[in-house]
Amino acid sequence: MDATLAGDERLGWWRRQLADAWEHHRLLAARTGTEVPFPKVLQAWRRQSPTALPGTAGEQRGQERSGPS
């Protein structure tokens, strides 16, 4: 991961790694005639993340900085 730039390039690299792992599991299952379960943690990482709500990250940071009133 250090070899990739932060942001979209790193995210693209990670998604390719997950896609390759998924494909290797599928091919192994086809070759062996055995179900090869894909690790649950990788299944979770393959799911599309919801987009951030507009303004929520900045609002939360602002609240942390201001402290109690």
Side-chain angles (χ1 to χ4, degrees):
M1 281 175 61
D2 288 340
T4 63
L5 298 174
D8 289 340
E9 185 177 330
R10 185 171 291 169
L11 182 59
W13 175 87
W14 180 243
R15 287 185 176 154
R16 284 189 301 277
Q17 299 304 307
L18 292 171
D20 288 349
W22 181 263
E23 182 64 13
H24 284 292
H25 272 77
R26 191 187 68 74
L27 291 172
L28 182 60
R31 286 185 192 150
T32 62
T34 308
E35 183 181 340
V36 180
F38 196 66
K40 289 184 186 278
V41 69
L42 296 181
Q43 290 177 30
W45 286 339
R46 283 189 76 227
R47 289 188 207 114
Q48 187 69 17
S49 299
T51 56
L53 296 173
T56 56
E59 290 171 11
Q60 288 174 352
R61 278 182 268 178
Q63 290 173 354
E64 291 172 3
R65 289 185 194 143
S66 64
S69 308

